[in-house]
Amino acid sequence: MEFTVKQIAGLLGGEVEGNETLKISQLSKIEEGKPGAISFLSNTKYEPFLYTTDASAVIVDRRFEPKKVVKTTLIRVENAYTAFTLLLQQYEQFIKKEKYGIEQPSYVGEGTSIGENFYLGAFACVGKNCRIGQNVKIYPQAYVGDNVQIGDNSVIHMGVKIYNNTVIGSHCIFFANAVIGSDGFGFAPQSDGSYQAIPQLGNVVIEDHVSVGAGTTIDCATMGSTIIRQGVKIDNLVQVAHNVEIGKNTVIAAQAGIAGSAKIGENCVIGGQAGFAGHINLPNRTKVGGQAGVSGKWRQAGLSLHGSPAMEIKDSLRSSAIFRRLPLLEKRVQALENLKQEEKP
Amino acid sequence: MEFTVKQIAGLLGGEVEGNETLKISQLSKIEEGKPGAISFLSNTKYEPFLYTTDASAVIVDRRFEPKKVVKTTLIRVENAYTAFTLLLQQYEQFIKKEKYGIEQPSYVGEGTSIGENFYLGAFACVGKNCRIGQNVKIYPQAYVGDNVQIGDNSVIHMGVKIYNNTVIGSHCIFFANAVIGSDGFGFAPQSDGSYQAIPQLGNVVIEDHVSVGAGTTIDCATMGSTIIRQGVKIDNLVQVAHNVEIGKNTVIAAQAGIAGSAKIGENCVIGGQAGFAGHINLPNRTKVGGQAGVSGKWRQAGLSLHGSPAMEIKDSLRSSAIFRRLPLLEKRVQALENLKQEEKP
Amino acid sequence: MEFTVKQIAGLLGGEVEGNETLKISQLSKIEEGKPGAISFLSNTKYEPFLYTTDASAVIVDRRFEPKKVVKTTLIRVENAYTAFTLLLQQYEQFIKKEKYGIEQPSYVGEGTSIGENFYLGAFACVGKNCRIGQNVKIYPQAYVGDNVQIGDNSVIHMGVKIYNNTVIGSHCIFFANAVIGSDGFGFAPQSDGSYQAIPQLGNVVIEDHVSVGAGTTIDCATMGSTIIRQGVKIDNLVQVAHNVEIGKNTVIAAQAGIAGSAKIGENCVIGGQAGFAGHINLPNRTKVGGQAGVSGKWRQAGLSLHGSPAMEIKDSLRSSAIFRRLPLLEKRVQALENLKQEEKP
């Protein structure tokens, strides 16, 4: 791939400040820029690199005013971050080689219908009576059980295991070794102290535009469905238990865990390693900090929760600040007690 | 599947209150009940749904007294929850299609003996000199190493990897992509700051009726065995390190982690994301809260531990309650100091 | 394997105290020693077992002075732990059966070069244009994408998935079901509340002598590389996000999570379930406790950090100690307030 600065500026609707004939062949971070690379400046923390970078061109916000002499060529756009993301997407389209066809050996069960442009990798299995949409890609060593539906343009990576009866929308992506639909963790205690497994007869329903990270596990419902709504993005090694429902456009960072029957609202942002008690109801637009432990009742939308047990962020920060100086606080109490002691006749 | 209310009541030893000729074709939660479905009421939190449900029948406790008019047909039994679990089990038996036979391509090593009713899925491997019991099912893309023993009726799901020399009892189940017997994490520090791996020559021994969740990892012992006792139930993405021993009938929720040589007692209940220090000894019947961090010495059986570092639950709740109002406590100390200041001549 | 005590003492450069003609056929922990076994004593906590063990021989430090009568034969060496590790390594060499050759069916793409003594397990895939060194072992059901480099003597276990363009050094080991190079978790928020995936076009670079645990996930960089430096040891179920760099000889215990663009120093020791905020800079030789939550700025090398949010260990322990007696502290404040109240005229 090689374009001139002028061509790229045209693509982005930007204005060139410098040499528009320079040739660009790669994208890079501003601190790693080399001749032939184009970079961007959005976070002002990285501004010092603008004056030293060897990148041939840098995309900046239209209103950006340099504080020093800039040697590199600038492309001014409305929003440098958005423009660079667009460039990344264009580049990805350019280099992406779509896979097609059915590699052998692989397995497709009876009664399964498959759309156009299907890719099935070697050593992958698709069960019976599945409905597979258009442009679906199933990579090597993946497993799709019986009666599974997969919508158009969804992609299933290597080693992903999808249990029977799972329903997957369109434009979804599952990264390597994710597991969808394994049994919920439900056991009935017996009088002798042992446990008997409660049959888990439900399934998992995943709507459109959902992303599921590597190694993440989503359990099937006991009855009914574990539901992941449209646009949800789940990172790696996340646990989603049986009968959970995750609302539209919620984002969940790595290693978070959501216990059974919890209902997570829409447009929530959940930090890494956060944990949610079973049956909890998390309102829409809640932000949850990393390692937070959320239980109890929360009714107001849009709160930020921190800590374990989780509190509103301002309360959590205040209490944590005093926790840091607890030894001092105890000394102050001790000093008051000593004074009191001295005062005694 | 279609039964009458009368037939189901007969199966459960229950009494019908309402129309016993109604046809039942599915099981559902009470809040999702539809005509043709049977549901149950156990937790009184769900009682309001009893008066509005469209389920054809609802199983209730024999002594339950409705507070309003009930339109649906009731089946009264000793324990509604237990009865419904039985129904789920019956239904599961009914719909379950046992798999048999050896799909191709797959691999079985020399010297391996296999019991009756064996199922080996496509792209699965079983090593040399294994002893595989009756009714064992090994699903596609699973791997069983050399010298592995698997007892009767155990089931190994897709993508599970079982290293050499693992011993597995009967009636065990392993969900997708679990890993059993990978090397313990042991390294000897060298004088140059690097580390040398300590060979991990032991194995994993898993007794009867153990359940292991999707993506869970259980490491082999350095020497001897990592031991999972009878009836232990382990959820998804749990880490069990080398030389750990987990006592009979202990239940471990998702993403908990148990460090090397820890010994967990019998009949413990361990919450999600809880962590255990190495070499710890956890007494029988200990309950451990989600995200708890357990270290130190614990001798008394039956305690409940919470928080990180973990404390007895009543102490943890009291301290946490004051943590929430620490800013207030600091202000009260400040007020006392101010008074003291004013008193000074 | 059978050796005399004399032969083993010769191998270790040790002196025998007792019967040097005894035959040794296995290694064991001192508390599990049986006739024919050799064990070691390093941690004095285990000294009581020395006087009761049935092991035929026990390796001890040269300067060790028994407090009671010892029935077993002793081998005295400079460092008992190091000597026993050496013995484990010798034993491992002895029993290890190297695998060679290409099992079928398996897949190797065009343009891929392969060194001597290659092992490729059944149902494994290696992509196009890879460079595979000498003595590389790729176990069954593993996947190696296109343009991947793997250095000499590296080993990839069952079910590991390595995405395109990953670079792996020599003497590395990857345990079962680890995932290397899946997409970083980067999304651009859209005006309608949905998110658009930011293309992740970088790769993962893993230097020599790195160990990666079972089920661990390491994401590729957005641009550039996620970098794991020489000698890093990573345990099971660890998450390493995009653009992270982990310094030389750092050790990371199970279920720790490192968010995007974090830079972890050299020779750090990181406890299980610890979490690191994005973009953090962790100095060299930092020790981080289990479940710690590390954010903010840390500049000094060699600190020990504990708690969430993480503090220096001595501060964390002091504050935690007072946290345990917060109810008492509150009562003391209450008592002072009551006194004050009484004093009032």
Side-chain angles (χ1 to χ4, degrees), chain A residues 301-321:
Chain A
L303 295 179
S304 285
L305 306 180
H306 266 234
S308 177
M311 303 159 58
E312 279 195 63
I313 185 166
K314 64 177 193 301
D315 298 329
S316 175
L317 293 178
R318 274 182 206 153
S319 284
S320 290

Side-chain angles (χ1 to χ4, degrees), chain B residues 106-181:
Chain B
S106 61
Y107 181 86
V108 178
E110 285 175 23
T112 287
S113 67
I114 287 169
E116 288 177 10
N117 295 324
F118 184 55
Y119 168 63
L120 185 65
F123 317 123
C125 298
V126 178
K128 296 176 193 164
N129 303 317
C130 295
R131 278 194 287 149
I132 311 289
Q134 312 287 328
N135 304 314
V136 168
K137 316 290 175 199
I138 298 177
Y139 279 76
Q141 304 150 340
Y143 177 94
V144 173
D146 297 337
N147 311 311
V148 172
Q149 296 175 37
I150 303 179
D152 296 347
N153 304 300
S154 284
V155 178
I156 293 172
H157 279 189
M158 303 77 71
V160 170
K161 311 301 179 195
I162 296 176
Y163 281 79
N164 295 345
N165 308 314
T166 301
V167 176
I168 295 171
S170 63
H171 295 279
C172 291
I173 185 164
F174 296 79
F175 290 95
N177 286 349
V179 175
I180 312 300

Side-chain angles (χ1 to χ4, degrees), chain A residues 123 161 163 219 308 319 325, chain B residues 141 157 236 291 323 330:
Chain A
F123 317 122
K161 311 301 179 197
Y163 281 78
D219 282 352
S308 177
S319 284
R325 48 179 199 263
Chain B
Q141 304 150 340
H157 279 189
N236 299 343
Q291 296 190 328
F323 177 83
E330 194 181 46

Side-chain angles (χ1 to χ4, degrees), chain C residues 62-80:
Chain C
R62 208 176 290 278
R63 293 164 308 179
F64 171 73
E65 297 182 12
K67 298 187 187 62
K68 299 187 186 175
V69 177
V70 174
K71 294 173 302 180
T72 186
T73 291
L74 298 182
I75 301 179
R76 290 184 176 278
V77 297
E78 207 47 46
N79 183 313

Side-chain angles (χ1 to χ4, degrees), chain B residues 131 146-150 162-169 179-184 199-207 218-229 240-245 261, chain C residues 26-27 29 32 88 91 95:
Chain B
R131 278 194 287 149
D146 297 337
N147 311 311
V148 172
Q149 296 175 37
I150 303 179
I162 296 176
Y163 281 79
N164 295 345
N165 308 314
T166 301
V167 176
I168 295 171
V179 175
I180 312 300
S182 53
D183 271 15
Q200 304 290 316
L201 303 175
N203 72 343
V204 177
V205 173
I206 294 176
E207 297 186 351
I218 303 178
D219 282 351
C220 74
T222 310
M223 292 177 290
S225 301
T226 302
I227 302 173
I228 316 294
R229 296 283 177 207
V240 179
H242 58 286
N243 292 91
V244 165
E245 178 176 345
S261 300
Chain C
Q26 57 173 313
L27 303 158
K29 292 186 277 186
E32 296 175 352
L88 282 169
Y91 184 68
I95 60 169

